[in-house]
Amino acid sequence: MKKSGAAEKRKARRSSASVQNVGRDPSSDTPPRKQAAKQDVYQLFAEKVRDHKDLESRWAVLQETRVEYFRGKDFVSFMKNHPELKEILESDRDLETEDIANNLLQKNLLVRCDRVVKTVRPGKKKLSTWPAHLEIFPERVFSENDAFFAWTFVKRRPLWQTLLSFFWPILTLAICLFPVYPHRCKLLILYSCAGLLLLILSLLLLRAAIFGAAWIVLGKRIWFFPNILAEEATLRELFRFLPKKDEEERPKWTARLFYAIVAVLVILLLRHHAPDEAARARYQKRMSNIIDDVLEWSPSLALSGMMEKQPVVNATEDNNKFSNESKVNSETVTPPGETENPDETDQHQTNNTI
């Protein structure tokens, strides 16, 4: 009876499964494993494209979040120059560039954006090529005409960033232990930091001088290292040497003449109030004393100086000192109304000795 009941249950399960499979198209049905593999293929393709150096991209703020984005026309030209990347897509490698981009949009690997400022600012001829602030575009369709697309997935952290994250606490601890370093190490760190600071200040001053001279003489805005003071820039953009293209209107000759006169007056004023040789020597001596105090400090010298300044307390010496002082006071102090006779004191001393 038990065997027959189990056989009937199996038949019922098979019949129900066959009923569910009726009317289902096996060609259109994709197993979940194949769907996940297909999605992983597009994920791998997106990571390869994002990490490629030939696709020009920038960073901007999208809804209070920094995102990396590119232009639609740059993506089309990039895919024309690198068709070998389509081999990652396997079955979809024959698709057009627009279809591939639309699939990335449908899989939420990309999001289409639009510039926040859509009007030309005063003093400029056209809109910015790479806007710093973006907003989400309502339509999720790829386009080449003034369209921007931002990556939505988190970029994999390279190995050097992981190692650097472990290195920062060690560097912080090393900075805190600077006072206990040997003298030669202190000198090396001091001169290295001073040289780096001097290089940065010299670069900023030279950059400002070139800009001022070109603006006054030629009427052009030339900023070398244009992103050196940018708050939001990658390491590659930060050390970009060539200046950006000047998109603003040329300044008037009256403004250029006015600022030229102001610059000459400032230079003459600074030259007139420059410190003399004696003042520079005093300042140099004061700074050298401060630096010497920092360099020559060590825990052993600090502890020895504290021990020297601390008074030595001895109980036996204090008791002897207190008894001697009491004897002296008792011998010197006489009761009021009595006068001391030197002859009587001498006679008293001789009697005591006998």
Side-chain angles (χ1 to χ4, degrees):
M1 296 295 290
K2 293 182 179 179
K3 292 182 179 179
S4 61
E8 291 177 357
K9 289 181 180 179
R10 290 176 184 173
K11 289 180 181 179
R13 290 175 184 174
R14 289 175 184 174
S15 61
S16 61
S18 62
V19 170
Q20 290 177 0
N21 291 329
V22 173
R24 186 178 290 180
D25 189 6
S27 60
S28 62
D29 226 5
T30 306
R33 291 185 179 178
K34 291 185 179 180
Q35 290 180 357
K38 197 172 184 180
Q39 187 176 3
D40 293 339
V41 166
Y42 275 93
Q43 178 75 28
L44 181 60
F45 174 79
E47 291 177 357
K48 291 289 184 182
V49 173
R50 186 176 183 179
D51 294 336
H52 208 285
K53 297 181 180 179
D54 293 343
L55 180 61
E56 190 175 4
S57 61
R58 293 289 189 276
W59 287 86
V61 178
L62 176 64
Q63 295 181 351
E64 299 181 358
T65 305
R66 293 186 70 249
V67 294
E68 186 179 5
Y69 73 99
F70 58 88
R71 298 179 296 184
K73 58 181 181 180
D74 294 335
F75 183 75
V76 174
S77 60
F78 171 77
M79 294 305 299
K80 288 181 180 179
N81 297 329
H82 300 279
E84 69 277 1
L85 293 176
K86 292 184 178 180
E87 299 296 331
I88 304 175
L89 300 176
E90 297 177 356
S91 60
D92 294 342
R93 59 179 176 271
D94 296 330
L95 294 177
E96 297 294 333
T97 303
E98 295 183 0
D99 297 333
I100 295 174
N102 288 326
N103 290 337
L104 293 175
L105 289 170
Q106 294 298 327
K107 295 180 181 298
N108 293 326
L109 296 173
L110 284 178
V111 61
R112 184 174 175 179
C113 306
D114 195 7
R115 60 177 77 243
V116 176
V117 181
K118 300 178 177 61
T119 57
V120 181
R121 293 182 178 180
K124 291 190 176 182
K125 300 178 182 179
K126 59 180 182 179
L127 293 173
S128 176
T129 307
W130 297 95
H133 297 274
L134 299 174
E135 62 183 3
I136 296 178
F137 195 75
E139 298 180 2
R140 301 176 63 181
V141 181
F142 181 79
S143 177
E144 301 181 33
N145 302 324
D146 198 24
F148 307 98
F149 300 89
W151 301 105
T152 57
F153 60 93
V154 179
K155 191 175 181 180
R156 291 183 179 180
R157 181 180 297 180
L159 179 60
W160 66 271
Q161 289 186 359
T162 305
L163 296 177
L164 188 62
S165 62
F166 288 103
F167 177 72
W168 279 119
I170 299 176
L171 180 61
T172 305
L173 181 62
I175 293 173
C176 296
L177 295 177
F178 175 78
V180 299
Y181 285 174
H183 187 72
R184 292 183 179 180
C185 294
K186 289 182 180 179
L187 288 177
L188 179 62
I189 295 172
L190 176 65
Y191 288 130
S192 301
C193 295
L196 181 62
L197 181 61
L198 181 62
L199 177 63
I200 294 173
L201 293 178
S202 302
L203 178 63
L204 294 178
L205 289 176
L206 181 62
R207 177 173 174 265
I210 293 175
F211 173 81
W215 190 81
I216 292 174
V217 177
L218 303 177
K220 295 183 178 181
R221 300 169 180 85
I222 301 175
W223 282 112
F224 290 98
F225 294 101
N227 300 323
I228 196 68
L229 298 177
E231 296 181 358
E232 298 178 354
T234 60
L235 191 62
R236 183 179 61 182
E237 295 176 355
L238 191 64
F239 293 100
R240 179 185 173 186
F241 176 74
L242 296 178
K244 295 181 181 179
K245 187 177 179 181
D246 189 9
E247 299 177 353
E248 299 182 6
E249 295 181 357
R250 191 172 182 177
K252 298 180 180 180
W253 67 271
T254 53
R256 293 158 56 189
L257 180 61
F258 172 75
Y259 283 106
I261 295 174
V262 170
V264 172
L265 292 177
V266 169
I267 292 173
L268 293 177
L269 185 64
L270 292 176
R271 185 178 179 182
H272 181 266
H273 291 280
D276 54 0
E277 191 67 26
R280 286 196 296 269
R282 289 194 302 270
Y283 182 74
Q284 182 181 1
K285 185 177 180 181
R286 187 185 306 169
M287 292 302 299
S288 63
N289 292 334
I290 296 174
I291 295 174
D292 290 340
D293 292 339
V294 174
L295 294 178
E296 293 177 358
W297 186 91
S298 64
S300 58
L301 292 177
L303 292 175
S304 62
M306 291 174 61
M307 294 300 294
E308 289 177 359
K309 293 179 180 179
Q310 184 177 2
V312 179
V313 179
N314 194 342
T316 57
E317 292 181 358
D318 289 344
N319 294 332
N320 295 332
K321 186 177 180 181
F322 179 74
S323 60
N324 292 332
E325 290 179 353
S326 62
K327 289 180 181 179
V328 171
N329 293 331
S330 62
E331 291 178 357
T332 55
V333 176
T334 56
E338 295 183 0
T339 57
E340 186 177 2
N341 191 355
D343 296 335
E344 293 180 356
T345 55
D346 294 339
Q347 185 177 1
H348 181 68
Q349 291 177 359
T350 52
N351 292 332
N352 291 331
T353 55
I354 294 172

